[in-house]
Amino acid sequence: MKQQQLIEQFYATHRLFLEYVNSLSAEAFMHTKSGKWNAGQQLSHIYLCLQPIAKALVSKDFLREKFGTLNRPLMDEAHVITKYKEALANGGKAPERFVPGAFNSEERDKATAETEQLLTVIGELLQDYTEEELDTLVMPHPLLGPMSIREMMYLMTYHATHHQLQTEANLKS
């Protein structure tokens, strides 16, 4: 997937997630069962996960110096998603810094606006990367280890869908 399509797909899946959680009534937005995250916490988690990506993308030099370049073959989108699902199935959980705290429905508009702003920033920063840099510069992922920027974007694109499906499943329970 080329850079522009990657950015568009990343934004589109997050947009669908935001539209979904914002279509929920206040009661559905706050619904939780069996300790599962409510829609607000899912939204907060997405934001918490995107923040370090935006910060890291600001500097190619930082990424190169801190994390280096990819030293293995590039994974395609399907492989990245499969590895993520396997990691979750093997007990992988979000590290504490990505676990949302309590969230109430009054925070929804602000959280949505902040997430949309972060998505825009990430899209703009990605425009400054060449196809080669997307494939070679590395970012760390807490479950999957070092990933190219392109692989990370594949994962984060799926990540929004994953959390929308979790929210939908929570509301059915």
Side-chain angles (χ1 to χ4, degrees), residues 10-25:
F10 169 76
Y11 190 78
T13 59
H14 283 85
R15 192 73 221 130
L16 287 172
F17 171 78
L18 291 172
E19 288 171 4
Y20 174 72
V21 297
N22 283 301
S23 73
L24 299 173
S25 68

Side-chain angles (χ1 to χ4, degrees), residues 10-167:
F10 169 76
Y11 190 78
T13 59
H14 283 85
R15 192 73 221 130
L16 287 172
F17 171 78
L18 291 172
E19 288 171 4
Y20 174 72
V21 297
N22 283 301
S23 73
L24 299 173
S25 68
E27 181 182 344
F29 187 79
M30 295 305 297
H31 176 79
T32 187
K33 188 170 184 170
S34 303
K36 300 291 184 186
W37 293 343
N38 64 38
Q41 289 170 305
Q42 299 281 6
L43 173 58
S44 179
H45 171 72
I46 294 288
Y47 179 80
L48 291 170
C49 291
L50 292 175
Q51 276 185 315
I53 293 171
K55 287 179 185 175
L57 288 173
V58 169
S59 173
K60 296 176 190 183
D61 289 337
F62 168 78
L63 287 173
R64 193 174 290 108
E65 291 168 15
K66 180 89 173 165
F67 307 114
T69 56
L70 197 63
N71 61 1
R72 59 165 170 74
L74 190 67
M75 292 185 284
D76 65 16
E77 183 178 17
H79 191 186
V80 169
I81 293 168
T82 297
K83 285 188 64 83
Y84 179 65
K85 288 178 177 180
E86 288 171 355
L88 294 177
N90 289 326
K93 301 265 187 224
E96 190 63 35
R97 68 185 179 142
F98 299 117
V99 174
F103 195 96
N104 64 61
S105 59
E106 292 80 35
E107 298 173 283
R108 185 184 344 199
D109 291 343
K110 180 180 180 203
T112 296
E114 289 174 347
T115 303
E116 287 175 334
Q117 181 181 14
L118 201 51
L119 293 169
T120 299
V121 166
I122 291 170
E124 289 171 355
L125 289 168
L126 286 170
Q127 295 284 352
D128 293 335
Y129 285 78
T130 66
E131 296 291 342
E132 180 182 354
E133 289 168 334
L134 292 174
D135 291 342
T136 58
L137 292 176
V138 170
M139 302 176 97
H141 186 272
L143 294 179
L144 302 182
M147 301 180 78
S148 73
I149 295 170
R150 187 180 311 275
E151 292 168 341
M152 184 67 78
M153 297 316 297
Y154 287 154
L155 179 59
M156 290 297 99
T157 297
Y158 172 73
H159 188 245
T161 302
H162 169 75
H163 284 283
Q164 181 170 335
L165 293 171
Q166 283 190 328
T167 303

